Amino acid sequence: MTDTKSKILIVEDDLDVAEMLNAYFRVQGYEVFTVNWGEDGVRSSLQDHPDLVILDIRLPDIDGYEVARRMRADRRTSDIPIIFLTEKRDRSDKLQGLEIGADDYITKPFDVQELRLRVRNALKRVSQGSLTNPVTGLPEGALVDERLSEIIGKDGSALLFVLLDNMDSFREAYGFVASDDVLRAISLMIVNTMREVSRPEDFLGHLSGTDFVLVLPPSNLVALGEKLRTRLDQSMEYFYPIKDRDQMAKRSDKLGAKIVEIPSLKTQFTTVDQIKAELQRNKK
């Protein structure tokens, strides 16, 4: 049960699914509003001021993308977390939804316990002001932006990105809880490696849910990068069940980690947005 009665808006045209989610989240202690059309979802988000929206992509009038666009364009609803419901076969749906500004997605048919955890994490993130990641406890959002702003254009700091590949595929195959366990394990590996190589004042945070940024002296960059690369490469296969390891070793969508080193910030970047754009460029 929740400590406070958070409001959830469910926009879902399948009446059976909508009724099931309504009943389930009411039992969990939430105040729930349910609508079946996209236009009604936009209106309800303005009138009922929900703390979170569960939004189906396939709706009978406007689709979930358009609902999300309108919510993000209105200052009254721009910060409300959105969790998309999408068909499992349509992986492009997830990417498009995340680009619009959805906070998370879940594929149909879904595990309602998994959805409950995603709702809980999204609400927790809002209550913390997006200052720490609910899975790893590491800084994110405004805390990371503030730290990066402090070092732009100055000597003495380097950046190291740790970019995780194919976490979406892993989550689809093994579930939300297992993917969170992987994220926590990797964050601990990074923390422990930093303790060996870096200084206590060096910084580690999230640039996205599966991407990390480290701020450290240029003199430690290569040593830390090499240690992390070795440890992560050796560890990835062990996140899979034993029965799947041989098969996953041959697949293109297996878990992986890419490390990107940026030795100087003095002239390369002038804004935090440029650093984030560099992260996106390296992910392609």
Side-chain angles (χ1 to χ4, degrees), residues 85-121:
L85 300 181
T86 178
E87 299 296 334
K88 188 166 187 176
R89 64 181 177 271
D90 294 331
R91 294 195 61 188
S92 61
D93 282 352
K94 308 166 196 173
L95 298 177
Q96 187 172 345
L98 292 172
E99 286 173 1
I100 291 170
D103 296 79
D104 206 344
Y105 65 85
I106 190 165
T107 53
K108 294 180 178 181
F110 55 83
D111 180 341
V112 72
Q113 295 290 341
E114 177 179 340
L115 179 57
R116 178 181 65 84
L117 290 173
R118 290 174 184 263
V119 166
R120 183 200 66 186
N121 283 354

Side-chain angles (χ1 to χ4, degrees), residues 105-148:
Y105 65 85
I106 190 165
T107 53
K108 294 180 178 181
F110 55 83
D111 180 341
V112 72
Q113 295 290 341
E114 177 179 340
L115 179 57
R116 178 181 65 84
L117 290 173
R118 290 174 184 263
V119 166
R120 183 200 66 186
N121 283 354
L123 290 170
K124 183 178 179 183
R125 189 178 297 118
V126 170
S127 69
Q128 293 174 335
S130 296
L131 296 179
T132 58
N133 183 280
V135 177
T136 67
L138 293 173
E140 67 176 10
L143 286 179
V144 174
D145 289 352
E146 180 181 341
R147 184 70 180 95
L148 294 176

Side-chain angles (χ1 to χ4, degrees), residues 166 237 240 243-255:
N166 298 314
E237 68 174 293
Y240 291 96
K243 64 182 178 64
D244 294 343
R245 287 177 190 169
D246 289 342
Q247 173 191 357
M248 290 309 304
K250 304 168 187 174
R251 292 183 52 160
S252 60
D253 61 349
K254 64 184 177 182
L255 279 176

